[in-house]
Amino acid sequence: TGTGLLLFNDNSWFSGEVGYAYGEITNEMKNETSTTASAWGFGPKGEGTFVYYNGDIISGSFELIQNENYMGMLNNNQKNGIGTYWYVPGQMAYSGEWQNDLPCGFGSFHYGSDDIINKIWSWETRLVDDGTYTGLICDDKINGYGTYTCDLYTYEGGWKNGKPCGYGRKTSSDGEVEEGIWIDGELGSR
């Protein structure tokens, strides 16, 4: 523990108090070999300033956390800075910049088999066709994780290029459920 400057690969940086976060974490992303460590991260831990790739600044007290879905930086009890959130543990995650508890900025989305790497992301609500989408946007398209709701059904899960992709759940207005892995907008396996 001490003070320092941390530079991230997307040109964002943190200046302030740094240290190790202790605890256990198991990595099961993309069927990689699981590993467990007692000191799982080094990063912001205390007072400091985080500067995003686009120049936005957040100052205050930071901490590193790890829980069942999120590992990364917190500021004011919100995801701010760099972190990874697993929407579906072991299958679907966003890893990158966070601002005010939402994915925002430079990062990557991991579907488990097909990833979108090193892009600019935002969390938005948009009118799409006859419904509403709330979730991640990349390259001005529905990509990542989100929820689409219209009169006929609600779909929550992974998206790629505006179509369901990866794990998702579609519930029709009469209660019928289709759940599993979606490929190019079609349910591939349950």
Side-chain angles (χ1 to χ4, degrees):
T1 303
T3 58
L5 177 65
L6 300 174
L7 303 174
F8 299 96
N9 63 2
D10 66 349
N11 293 324
S12 61
W13 53 275
F14 175 84
S15 177
E17 296 176 48
V18 294
Y20 285 96
Y22 292 91
E24 292 188 355
I25 182 163
T26 301
N27 179 11
E28 297 176 5
M29 279 299 292
K30 298 178 76 169
N31 299 320
E32 294 175 4
T33 304
S34 296
T35 57
T36 303
S38 59
W40 57 265
F42 179 80
K45 195 170 184 182
E47 294 298 315
T49 300
F50 184 83
V51 179
Y52 290 88
Y53 80 98
N54 66 358
D56 288 353
I57 297 172
I58 292 180
S59 295
S61 182
F62 288 83
E63 63 180 311
L64 287 173
I65 69 153
Q66 186 269 320
N67 60 33
E68 63 186 49
N69 287 12
Y70 180 73
M71 178 178 66
M73 297 167 58
L74 278 187
N75 169 262
N76 294 324
N77 291 318
Q78 292 186 326
K79 295 177 219 52
N80 279 302
I82 301 291
T84 299
Y85 184 84
W86 286 269
Y87 292 95
V88 179
Q91 295 181 30
M92 196 180 305
Y94 169 82
S95 184
E97 291 185 337
W98 292 81
Q99 196 166 29
N100 300 321
D101 236 15
L102 297 173
C104 183
F106 196 78
S108 298
F109 195 88
H110 309 281
Y111 292 91
S113 63
D114 191 17
D115 301 337
I116 298 177
I117 305 293
N118 300 329
K119 297 282 190 164
I120 304 300
W121 296 84
S122 62
W123 187 271
E124 299 179 20
T125 297
R126 291 183 171 190
L127 296 176
V128 179
D129 298 327
D130 294 327
T132 303
Y133 171 81
T134 300
L136 284 167
I137 301 291
C138 178
D139 293 335
D140 203 34
K141 297 178 188 159
I142 295 173
N143 282 305
Y145 188 89
T147 302
Y148 173 78
T149 303
C150 65
D151 291 339
L152 300 175
Y153 65 89
T154 296
Y155 172 83
E156 180 178 3
W159 293 85
K160 188 163 186 185
N161 297 321
K163 296 179 181 177
C165 178
Y167 179 81
R169 178 184 177 121
K170 182 178 180 180
T171 306
S172 70
S173 56
D174 64 4
E176 182 181 333
V177 175
E178 295 179 88
E179 183 173 9
I181 304 299
W182 295 74
I183 301 166
D184 201 27
E186 301 292 327
L187 183 59
S189 65
R190 294 176 188 249

